[in-house]
Amino acid sequence: MPVIELRNITKSYGRGGFFRKKERFDVLKDINLDLHAGECLGLVGRSGSGKSTLGRIVLGLEPPDCGSVRILGNDVTGLKELPRHVRREVQVVFQNAIGSTNPRMTAGQIISEPLRNFDGLKGRKLKNRVAMLLEQVGLSPDDAGKLPGRFSGGQLQRICIARALAPSPKVIVLDEAVSSLDMLIQARVLELLESLRKKHDTAYLFVSHDLRLVNRFCSRSFLMNNGMLHAFHPELNADTEAREALNKLSSAILPPLPERKTGKEHAGMPN
Ligand code: ADP
Ligand code: MG
């Protein structure tokens, strides 16, 4: 059973200004997608192509106009809020770590939130679990007492990743989650996510505009273009327009990624 099943998803938004008549434009047209346990599925496309919209639909943050969404076999189409047991299984990391953390909460409080909410952890058990999560993302248990302002962008993003990992979800939507990190940190965070994926069978929906990352870390990838998904590569080769869109993304990419690192080096991550 796929962890996420999207069937015939359609979504349109109103466009147009004050004086012009509002018209609808289709951001997603009849999207079908299955995400399986333990896979990293890449979603690339130019800015504005609808990647985040699809991510929000997977997270239950936005309803589709048509079609159905199943999470772990539960039909959640049209629900205002996901049921608790489903909610804990789908977590998200956004690009903007600063915007997605409360500056007045310590790293420990940020990571504790899902542990309190979903698992009712408190006291020593909570503290130990937070310490473990901090270590998993290459930070120190001593960092638990620090406020977001004391971390670099890369460190804060790893705190967001620790928060997403906290309830041991089946799915994590990574919406440009590493895009703001410098290349070395980016590669290390991705290596970390990959090792966690292998260990816990977590599935990732890896949204990015960076083809290099998607090619390296995803087992299957799709291009989002004109509201439709095109699988790499057989379908893309047959579709001239989609292939051109992919070529545009490729030509925007210049520097190579740093060499792959072995698992041991996570512990001493800089930044
Ligand atoms: P991407 O993540 O690929 O950059 P988005 O999913 O954020 O793309 O947006 C796709 C398109 O839908 C864009 O043209 C964006 O302006 C539009 N859009 C997204 N959310 C809304 C909204 N809530 N209301 C109106 N238009 C929106
Ligand atoms: Mg986006």
Side-chain angles (χ1 to χ4, degrees):
M1 178 181 69
V3 287
I4 304 278
E5 287 175 76
L6 302 179
R7 291 291 173 271
N8 310 105
I9 297 289
T10 300
K11 182 81 190 174
S12 65
Y13 289 118
R15 183 159 56 185
F18 196 66
F19 298 107
R20 271 185 304 151
K21 191 166 163 257
K22 269 218 167 150
E23 55 184 45
R24 311 281 306 170
F25 75 107
D26 294 330
V27 178
L28 305 174
K29 300 174 190 163
D30 199 24
I31 300 279
N32 288 289
L33 188 66
D34 284 348
L35 179 66
H36 299 279
E39 80 168 331
C40 183
L41 194 147
L43 189 56
V44 296
R46 62 174 177 77
S47 168
S49 59
K51 305 180 297 295
S52 294
T53 303
L54 191 69
R56 286 196 302 273
I57 288 174
V58 165
L59 290 159
L61 296 175
E62 193 159 9
D65 297 336
C66 297
S68 68
V69 184
R70 291 177 87 87
I71 302 177
L72 302 166
N74 301 276
D75 190 345
V76 296
T77 318
L79 296 184
K80 279 227 168 64
E81 226 172 278
L82 295 181
R84 262 174 83 80
H85 71 284
V86 178
R87 179 74 200 86
R88 70 167 298 147
E89 304 292 1
V90 231
Q91 298 295 317
V92 62
V93 184
F94 293 110
Q95 175 170 9
N96 178 5
I98 296 170
S100 36
T101 47
N102 182 336
R104 281 179 290 275
M105 278 165 74
T106 64
Q109 289 169 326
I110 291 167
I111 300 170
S112 295
E113 228 177 14
L115 296 169
R116 287 179 203 276
N117 285 347
F118 294 119
D119 294 326
L121 286 191
K122 38 187 182 202
R124 168 94 2 224
K125 272 193 179 157
L126 179 63
K127 214 174 156 199
N128 289 345
R129 178 95 173 105
V130 168
M132 206 190 83
L133 284 158
L134 280 167
E135 278 180 339
Q136 259 187 345
V137 296
L139 295 167
S140 150
D142 296 338
D143 290 326
K146 295 183 192 161
L147 291 169
R150 297 204 33 213
F151 295 102
S152 71
Q155 289 172 328
L156 197 55
Q157 191 61 309
R158 281 186 269 146
I159 290 167
C160 293
I161 291 170
R163 173 177 60 187
L165 294 170
S168 306
K170 294 279 192 300
V171 183
I172 304 183
V173 175
L174 299 160
D175 191 346
E176 306 274 8
V178 296
S179 304
S180 61
L181 306 183
D182 77 51
M183 265 196 320
L184 194 66
I185 305 301
Q186 203 174 51
R188 290 185 178 184
V189 167
L190 286 167
E191 301 277 351
L192 164 78
L193 285 168
E194 199 171 44
S195 69
L196 294 171
R197 177 175 66 78
K198 286 181 186 148
K199 202 149 71 185
H200 303 291
D201 224 18
T202 322
Y204 299 134
L205 181 61
F206 184 78
V207 176
S208 180
H209 59 273
D210 191 335
L211 266 178
R212 299 166 311 172
L213 294 182
V214 163
N215 282 336
R216 179 182 281 186
F217 289 99
C218 299
S219 36
R220 283 196 299 149
S221 309
F222 291 86
L223 172 78
M224 176 82 89
N225 194 49
N226 288 335
M228 286 177 288
L229 289 179
H230 303 270
F232 289 16
H233 280 277
E235 258 181 60
L236 267 173
N237 291 339
D239 189 309
T240 321
E241 206 183 311
R243 208 175 56 226
E244 269 171 24
L246 188 70
N247 288 343
K248 269 193 197 144
L249 279 176
S250 321
S251 58
I253 288 154
L254 299 164
L257 290 176
E259 281 307 303
R260 252 173 194 277
K261 295 285 186 299
T262 55
K264 285 192 193 114
E265 292 166 54
H266 293 311
M269 276 197 267
N271 195 9

